[in-house]
Amino acid sequence: MPNQEYLDKLQHRQNYRNLWHTDLMRTIQHDPPYCCLAFWCGPCVSYLLRKRALYNDMSRYVCCAGYMPCSGRCGESRCPEFCLATEVFLCFGNSVASTRFLLQDEFNIQTTQCDNCIIGFMFCLQQVACIFSIVAMIVGSEEISEASQILSCLADMVYCTVCACMQTQHKVEMDKRDGKFGPQPAMAVPHVQQMSRLDQQYPPTAGYPPPAYGQSYYPPPPQAQGYPPQASGYPPAGYPPAGYPPAGYPQK
């Protein structure tokens, strides 16, 4: 029975908000050679990925990354390389899942609904194949036995494919962690903005170049530009017109 700490980790993992760099559906497109390597040599890839997830520091190694009851009880501190090799060959599925949990807890990565559906389909197909095998043994029908063999073969193919995609997903995420996709763009710090004050001659520079020495932000007032014009003939002759104001208009 899992302890309370393990249950707390599962509950806390549901609140993660980051996403994998690539989901399971696109791992083959992202790195086809590595996905093929993980399909044909899954345990070797699992060994390399776990070591890389630990930053090549095997002194940090714990069996199944500390997520299983046997973790810390297998003498990992004396020979971590041998214990990791034993884990990936004898408990291959657990080794892949443990590396996945290790990365998720380190980078706060959630599992998307699409990934959950793929992983759930893999487990359901294995259970159906197991049930058909048991029924075939009890009934002794050749048709059911053939169907169970086909289902078992299909379940194994799906299992190997999903594990290969998961390991490629882990590899891509660690490539991102190690900066193999280039440096991450840094967010620019916005300029410090100041509030206008009544004693300022011009507003503060908020993203605009400051005025030159002796230059003001605002144009000179109209009076400084010769307004109203002082040219001759102003006001025009005959202004105001005769008979203005009209009769009966109150005088001041």
Side-chain angles (χ1 to χ4, degrees):
M1 182 177 182
N3 54 19
Q4 186 63 32
E5 183 180 359
Y6 179 71
L7 294 176
D8 293 340
K9 287 183 179 180
L10 292 178
Q11 184 67 27
H12 184 65
R13 196 175 291 125
Q14 296 178 359
N15 299 324
Y16 291 163
R17 291 294 177 265
N18 295 331
L19 299 176
W20 295 97
H21 186 75
T22 178
D23 55 15
L24 291 178
M25 294 292 294
R26 295 180 176 84
T27 51
I28 300 178
Q29 302 175 2
H30 199 281
D31 198 340
Y34 197 89
C35 193
C36 293
L37 177 63
F39 181 83
W40 294 108
C41 192
C44 297
V45 172
S46 182
Y47 181 96
L48 296 175
L49 289 178
R50 177 68 64 77
K51 186 176 180 180
R52 185 179 174 186
L54 297 173
Y55 299 89
N56 296 322
D57 184 8
M58 292 302 293
S59 62
R60 302 172 53 190
Y61 170 75
V62 180
C63 181
C64 295
Y67 297 105
M68 297 297 170
C70 63
S71 301
R73 303 177 182 178
C74 303
E76 301 95 327
S77 59
R78 292 191 296 271
C79 191
E81 290 82 3
F82 177 77
C83 291
L84 178 57
T86 304
E87 175 190 339
V88 299
F89 278 99
L90 299 183
C91 305
F92 172 69
N94 287 339
S95 68
V96 175
S98 300
T99 303
R100 184 179 186 83
F101 295 153
L102 188 64
L103 295 175
Q104 284 185 292
D105 291 340
E106 181 178 359
F107 302 113
N108 296 334
I109 301 175
Q110 63 173 324
T111 302
T112 62
Q113 294 295 330
C114 180
D115 291 357
N116 283 330
C117 290
I118 295 174
I119 298 172
F121 173 74
M122 176 188 68
F123 286 126
C124 290
L125 191 59
Q126 290 179 341
Q127 297 298 324
V128 172
C130 181
I131 293 174
F132 266 76
S133 300
I134 295 175
V135 172
M137 291 176 57
I138 296 175
V139 177
S141 174
E142 295 183 359
E143 292 79 4
I144 298 178
S145 179
E146 292 178 0
S148 66
Q149 292 177 3
I150 294 174
L151 279 175
S152 298
C153 182
L154 181 61
D156 292 341
M157 288 292 295
V158 172
Y159 173 77
C160 293
T161 303
V162 173
C163 287
C165 292
M166 290 176 64
Q167 295 197 97
T168 306
Q169 188 181 48
H170 303 163
K171 183 258 185 184
V172 172
E173 193 66 31
M174 284 187 281
D175 286 346
K176 176 184 175 182
R177 179 197 70 182
D178 297 339
K180 293 189 176 183
F181 297 148
Q184 298 294 327
M187 296 181 63
V189 179
H191 297 284
V192 178
Q193 298 185 0
Q194 300 177 357
M195 297 181 63
S196 299
R197 299 195 308 268
L198 296 177
D199 58 345
Q200 288 181 328
Q201 298 181 359
Y202 51 85
T205 58
Y208 297 94
Y213 179 77
Q215 179 184 0
S216 175
Y217 265 99
Y218 300 108
Q223 289 76 9
Q225 298 180 359
Y227 185 85
Q230 302 298 328
S232 61
Y234 187 85
Y239 186 85
Y244 185 85
Y249 193 83
Q251 301 294 329
K252 293 183 179 179

